[in-house]
Amino acid sequence: MCLSATAHGQMVRLITIGPGEAFWSVYGHTALAIDNQVYAFGYFDFDADNLFKAFLLNDMNYAMGISELSDELYWAQHHERPFTEQVLELSTGAVQQLKQQLAQHYLPENRRYRYDYFANNCATKVRDFLNQATDGELYQRAQALSPYSYADLTLPAHHQSAMRFGLAVGFGYQAYQKISYWQAMAFPLVIKDFFSHQMADAVTYEAVIYQPPADSWELLKNHAFYLVLLTVLLLAWSIKSLRSYAITVWFYVASLIGVGLLLLWWVLPHPMADGNFNVLLFNPLLFLLVLRKQSLFMTALLGISLFVWLGFAWYWGAWYLVPLMFLHVLFLVTRWQQSS
């Protein structure tokens, strides 16, 4: 990779903004800045027609946007999100080519692109431009296997406990396989760290421009939904007059979730939901324990499915839902005792 001073005083920065409170900002944001103009690829329209349908069908459209560096810093501070800049040392030709490519991409006919959660998002667009600017060296260095899986990088959904629970339920086995650094750079913080370490020779300056105060409620905010769900179900089970009702309602809910998982796996185009072993935990047959008299065969079948699920969870390191698995065992045993 040919490195030299930035062209004609033009400074190229890799901008990384940490996670925000809104669900679409939980994994942070990345952008390229040339002098004071910021080029980013994470813009979408909440008022667009059929937004929910597009989300379900994995057919979202995002757009490139241009803003001022001072505005980006202001909004990061306003929303208490960390703001880091890394000044990149690129050849004169690379800087000029980068500007031309970004300008070309910003043309009205090129501005929008088909979004993919892991393969073509706001971070991978920046990654791809930087790979071209480094003559493919970023790609070459990023082929090594990282310590991450997509599950590792997505389950820490910043302050979005319901989203975290939903992802843990919706992910299939593919989400738990280790990926390369190149794939992991679908996440802004991974790009930042990769340039800090594996691409340090291309970084002339790095600084945290703004760091918000630590949040003492971080752990609770990340897991509140799951903790409340487990607490409510256990409390309802512990009250004798509510026990049967709680088991009935939850088994209906779990069955419906299982049907949803099968739809994600077999019908909807979400590859990370394929091969979802959680269908053994949220077994679509659980409703049969409510609609008909309990049988030893059905209890044994559902119990076996739970322990098969535990084997998959152990193999893939998918521990998040294990407490719920033991709750299901408790409910199955209780249901059997009630019908005996």
Side-chain angles (χ1 to χ4, degrees):
M1 178 171 59
C2 180
L3 299 177
S4 68
T6 54
H8 305 298
Q10 291 182 322
M11 186 177 293
V12 179
R13 298 178 177 93
L14 174 61
I15 301 299
T16 306
I17 302 175
E21 295 293 330
F23 71 88
W24 64 87
S25 65
V26 296
Y27 303 116
H29 179 60
T30 192
L32 287 171
I34 301 179
D35 290 338
N36 293 316
Q37 278 200 316
V38 178
Y39 304 85
F41 299 87
Y43 293 87
F44 66 97
D45 185 5
F46 270 115
D47 298 323
D49 294 336
N50 300 319
L51 182 63
F52 182 69
K53 179 181 178 182
F55 172 77
L56 284 179
L57 297 178
N58 195 12
D59 191 27
M60 300 282 288
N61 285 299
Y62 275 49
M64 178 186 179
I66 298 178
S67 59
E68 293 294 318
L69 185 61
S70 58
D71 291 337
E72 293 295 328
L73 178 57
Y74 169 80
W75 284 110
Q77 292 173 326
H78 179 73
H79 294 287
E80 296 193 335
R81 300 173 63 180
F83 189 101
T84 302
E85 73 167 13
Q86 293 164 297
V87 178
L88 306 180
E89 188 175 15
L90 301 172
S91 69
T92 299
V95 174
Q96 293 304 316
Q97 184 180 32
L98 181 60
K99 285 191 67 176
Q100 292 171 5
Q101 290 172 335
L102 290 169
Q104 181 72 18
H105 203 299
Y106 192 63
L107 293 175
E109 62 270 23
N110 300 330
R111 194 173 300 171
R112 301 186 70 82
Y113 66 97
R114 189 177 184 279
Y115 182 87
D116 184 276
Y117 306 109
F118 300 106
N120 197 35
N121 63 21
C122 57
T124 63
K125 299 291 280 188
V126 170
R127 177 201 67 188
D128 293 345
F129 275 107
L130 289 176
N131 182 55
Q132 294 179 54
T134 58
D135 293 327
E137 184 134 352
L138 177 59
Y139 176 81
Q140 292 299 323
R141 297 192 194 184
Q143 290 309 296
L145 195 65
S146 79
Y148 311 116
S149 66
Y150 284 127
D152 293 329
L153 295 167
T154 53
L155 288 182
H158 177 74
H159 293 182
Q160 295 290 328
S161 60
M163 179 178 175
R164 184 187 184 103
F165 179 78
L167 289 171
V169 171
F171 275 153
Y173 77 94
Q174 292 186 67
Y176 293 94
Q177 298 183 73
K178 297 305 179 185
I179 55 178
S180 70
Y181 280 104
W182 180 256
Q183 294 170 296
M185 279 191 277
F187 296 84
L189 298 181
V190 176
I191 298 180
K192 178 181 75 69
D193 290 342
F194 194 85
F195 269 87
S196 293
H197 300 101
Q198 286 92 332
M199 293 288 291
D201 56 323
V203 179
T204 62
Y205 175 78
E206 180 173 344
V208 179
I209 306 301
Y210 173 71
Q211 180 65 49
D215 186 354
S216 57
W217 296 96
E218 176 88 11
L219 187 64
L220 180 61
K221 289 179 180 179
N222 287 344
H223 302 280
F225 180 87
Y226 193 26
L227 292 173
V228 169
L229 175 65
L230 292 173
T231 301
V232 168
L233 290 175
L234 281 172
L235 283 176
W237 176 86
S238 66
I239 300 172
K240 192 172 182 179
S241 59
L242 296 177
R243 187 171 298 166
S244 181
Y245 178 74
I247 295 173
T248 297
V249 170
W250 177 246
F251 278 172
Y252 271 128
V253 170
S255 293
L256 288 174
I257 293 174
V259 172
L261 295 181
L262 290 176
L263 289 174
L264 279 172
W265 182 350
W266 294 104
V267 179
L268 297 174
H270 292 274
M272 288 302 131
D274 293 348
N276 194 334
F277 51 90
N278 289 327
V279 76
L280 297 170
L281 177 62
F282 296 92
N283 197 312
L285 299 179
L286 281 169
F287 78 97
L288 293 177
L289 298 181
V290 178
L291 291 180
R292 59 193 297 179
K293 185 177 179 181
Q294 186 94 348
S295 69
L296 179 60
F297 172 77
M298 183 59 63
T299 303
L301 178 64
L302 293 172
I304 290 171
S305 77
L306 290 176
F307 284 99
V308 172
W309 175 88
L310 185 61
F312 281 117
W314 173 81
Y315 185 78
W316 295 113
W319 300 111
Y320 194 68
L321 298 175
V322 168
L324 195 58
M325 190 278 297
F326 285 112
L327 188 76
H328 278 204
V329 172
L330 176 64
F331 279 16
L332 280 175
V333 171
T334 301
R335 195 73 179 178
W336 170 254
Q337 291 174 340
Q338 288 175 341
S339 63
S340 297

